[in-house]
Amino acid sequence: MSIIVNHLTYRYNPGTAMESTALDDINLKIEDGEFIGLIGHTGSGKSTLVQQLNGILKPTSGGVYVDGADIGDDGYDLKKLRGEVGLVFQYPEHQLFETDVFKDVCFGPKNLGLTQKETELRAYEALKQVGIADEYFYQSPFDLSGGQKRRVAIAGVLAMKPKVLILDEPTAGLDPKGRDELLDKLTSIRQDTGCTIILVSHSMEDVARYADRIVVMHKGRIAFDDTPMEVFKHRDELKEMGLGVPGITETMYKLKDAGFPVSTDIITVDTAVTEIMKVLGR
Amino acid sequence: MAIIKTDNLTFEYIRRDEEGNVEGITTAVDNVSFEIKRGEFVAILGHNGSGKSTLAKHLNAILFPTEGTVFVDGKDTSEDANLWDVRETVGMVFQNPDNQIIGQVVEEDVGFGPENLGVPTAEIWERMEESLKAVGMYEFRKKSPNRLSGGQKQRVSIAGVLAMHPQCIVLDEPTAMLDPIGRKEVIRAVRALNDVEKITAILITHYMDEIVHADKVIVMDKGKIAMAGTPREIFSQVDKLKSLSLDVPQVTMCAHKLREAGLNIPEGILTNDEFVKALQQCQ
Ligand SMILES: Nc1ncnc2c1ncn2[C@@H]1O[C@H](COP(=O)(O)OP(=O)(O)O)[C@@H](O)[C@H]1O
Ligand SMILES: Nc1ncnc2c1ncn2[C@@H]1O[C@H](COP(=O)(O)OP(=O)(O)O)[C@@H](O)[C@H]1O
Ligand SMILES: [Mg+2]
Ligand SMILES: [Mg+2]
């Protein structure tokens, strides 16, 4: 499923004293099966942008085209779109509301008009995918730990079998292991289903490791859109935007400053190890 | 005397059904004893659900031990007569700045705390000014908190706590919701308070790079203390940390892997500077 964002501008509270331009002439083409990291300082427009992609917010001008069709057209089936472009909101656990975990995950597929049986099959499968054991299925979601709630909320979106899965800062507040497990899980879901993943993140290390394309937002505009390797070459500009490069990339710059003939095009620990061993002649 | 001391602290959350019968018990903090000295910067790590927040809430008398004792500045927190002293001694900052800021204007928000303590108006203004300056937010004093970034809001929350003149400040994942610059701003502010104002700081976080400057690190696991030591002692044990659901900074990990690959480089490298020096010695 391809998504094209064409000259999209979005203003909150247009025509009032509170008017603010959150997105300013955004152009973006998202291909099938990509893993995109979306980064940017707080308020740069990331959440506003992802809410345009499944029609929750409507452009002030410009448009979003999904498989060639303008999702802003009268009569466009937005309900179907929201099943296909699944959005996991920031802190999704605050939106759990059903009396038990299983019912909560059934909500999405049921809403798509699937039969009871199909709905339940999908809920079951999604809960397994995120690693929630059977014993929790009939517990109240409110009795789970924060990390478990997060996974249940993600299962609710997975159960709709979206072709594009968007997650808005899904790892905030998770411990390092929970974070790695979730990101590994997303990678394997993408491998298994071929779906597109858009990951909004504040961690340069995570997007360097997992994404194959990074889109950098700055003040409502796209500042960079390239492979992680290329994007993280813009160290100074990224710092000025309140972002930066992965910790290990910064380390390589410090080595270079100290006279080691190392490459600074390094964004993961493993490639750093190889590079340093090479330079030291080991 | 230690500013904080816990003696075999245990806390149980008890779940009851509608009739009040006990449905389940979670031992969130399990027989924990430690001491924090005045002026120390202590980091607390641990997996989600390891009991960090429950522990933190004991330090300013939001929760009280099921068993054991917590002393703040030598005072037992579970004695009613000590309640206000304890809450004045220890201030808390939480994860979500939006739930902590109530004022319409930054300076008004910072003034609420001292006002509630009955501080005279002239002094409230002094405290407001000094607290906002301490976190680098004085120039924003006339602004509406809604207009601030996450890192700025969080620094206003910290100023609000500072204005109550605590001796110790507990920060429960204050950077979890922030972007990289916001995280840096907050950590810088906390370190300055600790270095310059000598306020005891207790920082709970999942970001390993935020704690390399701590005096001491406590690692929680399932309600118990699993490790305690200096950052270097803790970060020298990469495999153990991983088994506790934690991690080390990337530079520490890189040094660890180089060592495994046969390079003569010490464990527990914490900063880029240390790393560069260690590699220079390998040349
Ligand atoms: N509901 C809203 N009403 C008014 N302004 C908003 C609203 N949501 C976001 N904004 C503004 O839009 C801009 C982009 O915000 P957002 O998309 O949330 O950024 P990010 O997700 O990158 O932090 C910011 O200036 C923010 O203040
Ligand atoms: N209000 C509560 N009621 C019942 N159980 C709770 C409550 N708060 C936390 N718990 C449980 O206590 C344990 C410790 O939680 P917490 O102190 O929040 O850990 P952390 O802050 O390390 O994530 C967890 O098992 C959690 O589910
Ligand atoms: Mg956002
Ligand atoms: Mg907590």
Side-chain angles (χ1 to χ4, degrees):
Chain A
M1 163 169 264
S2 83
I3 300 182
I4 293 174
V5 178
N6 184 39
H7 292 292
L8 190 154
T9 292
Y10 184 77
R11 294 195 184 89
Y12 284 102
N13 312 305
T16 71
M18 306 275 292
E19 175 171 306
S20 77
T21 304
L23 297 174
D24 185 5
D25 195 29
I26 300 289
N27 292 292
L28 202 59
K29 186 161 196 282
I30 300 164
E31 304 285 358
D32 245 0
E34 286 192 291
F35 194 136
I36 298 180
L38 181 58
I39 62 178
H41 62 84
T42 306
S44 60
K46 304 179 298 295
S47 297
T48 306
L49 177 59
V50 296
Q51 290 177 73
Q52 300 282 346
L53 301 183
N54 73 349
I56 293 178
L57 294 177
K58 297 222 176 329
T60 305
S61 66
V64 175
Y65 298 82
V66 173
D67 283 338
D70 185 343
I71 68 169
D73 279 348
D74 287 343
Y76 189 92
D77 190 350
L78 281 173
K79 197 162 151 184
K80 181 152 161 277
L81 178 70
R82 285 181 197 151
E84 289 175 340
V85 180
L87 172 59
V88 180
F89 285 95
Q90 233 166 318
Y91 290 86
E93 57 273 26
H94 297 164
Q95 290 170 19
L96 298 173
F97 63 97
E98 292 280 4
T99 50
D100 70 51
V101 165
F102 196 72
K103 273 194 201 144
D104 216 296
V105 177
C106 283
F107 182 80
K110 194 165 149 196
N111 236 9
L112 290 179
L114 299 175
T115 62
Q116 172 93 2
K117 189 161 171 228
E118 176 69 11
T119 296
E120 287 180 0
L121 275 174
R122 284 195 180 193
Y124 184 82
E125 196 186 343
L127 281 162
K128 289 280 131 174
Q129 266 181 329
V130 297
I132 297 286
D134 297 24
E135 63 198 89
Y136 294 106
F137 283 16
Y138 301 104
Q139 285 196 18
S140 160
F142 304 102
D143 289 345
L144 303 181
S145 74
Q148 286 172 324
K149 281 187 207 165
R150 181 84 48 94
R151 282 186 278 163
V152 169
I154 293 172
V157 172
L158 282 178
M160 296 194 285
K161 299 210 168 165
K163 292 181 184 153
V164 179
L165 178 58
I166 307 174
L167 304 103
D168 199 348
E169 296 185 36
T171 58
L174 295 188
D175 60 45
K177 183 168 174 222
R179 175 199 71 203
D180 287 350
E181 280 177 355
L182 175 59
L183 296 174
D184 287 340
K185 183 57 72 184
L186 294 179
T187 304
S188 76
I189 288 171
R190 172 189 178 223
Q191 260 158 17
D192 296 346
T193 66
C195 71
T196 307
I197 292 184
I198 302 177
L199 173 72
V200 179
S201 177
H202 281 319
S203 166
M204 304 303 123
E205 288 79 10
D206 289 351
V207 290
R209 246 168 89 194
Y210 288 93
D212 38 40
R213 173 178 168 193
I214 294 179
V215 174
V216 183
M217 298 285 298
H218 184 60
K219 296 186 178 160
R221 290 172 157 265
I222 292 178
F224 300 108
D225 178 359
D226 214 323
T227 60
M229 186 72 92
E230 288 303 318
V231 166
F232 287 127
K233 283 180 183 167
H234 301 275
R235 175 174 172 243
D236 294 340
E237 291 107 307
L238 288 169
K239 282 190 181 172
E240 269 166 37
M241 292 172 191
L243 301 171
V245 295
I248 195 64
T249 311
E250 198 59 40
T251 303
M252 297 309 274
Y253 275 97
K254 293 279 150 51
L255 281 177
K256 187 162 187 161
D257 291 347
F260 287 89
V262 291
S263 161
T264 50
D265 295 346
I266 298 280
I267 57 175
T268 62
V269 171
D270 287 338
T271 51
V273 169
T274 311
E275 172 72 5
I276 291 168
M277 290 304 266
K278 192 182 86 196
V279 164
L280 291 179
R282 309 286 165 119
Chain B
M1 185 180 44
I3 182 126
I4 306 272
K5 183 169 189 291
T6 74
D7 237 348
N8 302 104
L9 164 63
T10 293
F11 183 83
E12 293 170 344
Y13 287 104
I14 297 177
R15 237 178 320 126
R16 294 174 191 276
D17 63 15
E18 282 106 49
E19 279 95 58
N21 303 312
V22 174
E23 269 189 335
I25 297 179
T26 306
T27 307
V29 176
D30 191 359
N31 203 19
V32 162
S33 303
F34 65 84
E35 272 190 39
I36 292 175
K37 294 198 202 78
R38 208 171 277 283
E40 273 189 317
F41 186 149
V42 176
I44 303 181
L45 306 180
H47 61 84
N48 292 121
S50 60
K52 303 179 298 296
S53 295
T54 306
L55 176 62
K57 286 176 189 155
H58 280 80
L59 306 184
N60 80 334
I62 299 173
L63 292 176
F64 303 95
T66 309
E67 276 171 55
T69 326
V70 176
F71 297 98
V72 169
D73 205 11
K75 299 191 173 81
D76 183 341
T77 62
S78 41
E79 281 182 25
D80 286 345
N82 293 337
L83 199 62
W84 289 109
D85 281 346
V86 168
R87 292 194 179 147
E88 270 192 62
T89 306
V90 180
M92 287 277 279
V93 175
F94 297 96
Q95 190 180 89
N96 188 344
D98 293 324
N99 298 340
Q100 302 176 66
I101 296 183
I102 34 183
Q104 299 297 311
V105 180
V106 165
E107 59 186 6
E108 179 191 343
D109 188 80
V110 175
F112 273 134
E115 198 180 332
N116 279 340
L117 294 179
V119 173
T121 311
E123 197 189 327
I124 293 179
W125 284 100
E126 264 168 43
R127 289 191 182 197
M128 190 271 300
E129 182 175 332
E130 114 212 323
S131 314
L132 281 170
K133 281 182 175 162
V135 298
M137 287 298 292
Y138 186 63
E139 59 190 295
F140 294 91
R141 65 191 178 282
K142 302 283 181 202
K143 290 241 158 46
S144 155
N146 308 329
R147 293 256 152 206
L148 302 178
S149 73
Q152 292 170 334
K153 280 184 201 165
Q154 201 57 298
R155 284 185 287 152
V156 172
S157 308
I158 296 173
V161 170
L162 280 183
M164 303 202 272
H165 286 183
Q167 296 172 48
C168 173
I169 179 164
V170 180
L171 304 108
D172 192 354
E173 298 193 37
T175 57
M177 302 180 70
L178 307 183
D179 59 13
I181 187 93
R183 278 173 49 200
K184 276 208 193 94
E185 289 166 358
V186 168
I187 295 302
R188 206 178 291 140
V190 174
R191 283 185 64 198
L193 297 181
N194 179 250
D195 274 354
V196 182
E197 321 273 334
K198 308 294 173 212
I199 294 178
T200 309
I202 302 174
L203 172 69
I204 300 175
T205 184
H206 288 310
Y207 290 108
M208 302 300 140
D209 52 343
E210 291 176 359
I211 63 170
V212 298
H213 301 287
D215 297 306
K216 189 157 90 187
V217 180
I218 294 173
V219 181
M220 301 279 297
D221 180 43
K222 303 192 188 82
K224 293 188 159 67
I225 294 182
M227 300 167 84
T230 62
R232 193 175 316 285
E233 287 161 357
I234 300 293
F235 284 150
S236 295
Q237 303 175 57
V238 175
D239 296 328
K240 182 152 188 207
L241 280 171
K242 292 252 168 192
S243 75
L244 295 169
S245 302
L246 301 177
D247 207 351
V248 295
Q250 284 196 317
V251 64
T252 310
M253 193 57 167
C254 186
H256 175 72
K257 290 194 169 183
L258 286 169
R259 189 180 151 89
E260 282 185 334
L263 223 51
N264 182 19
I265 181 170
E267 282 286 11
I269 294 276
L270 299 177
T271 63
N272 285 333
D273 287 345
E274 289 176 16
F275 185 67
V276 169
K277 282 203 188 89
L279 279 190
Q280 277 163 343
Q281 273 160 19
C282 288
Q283 269 182 322

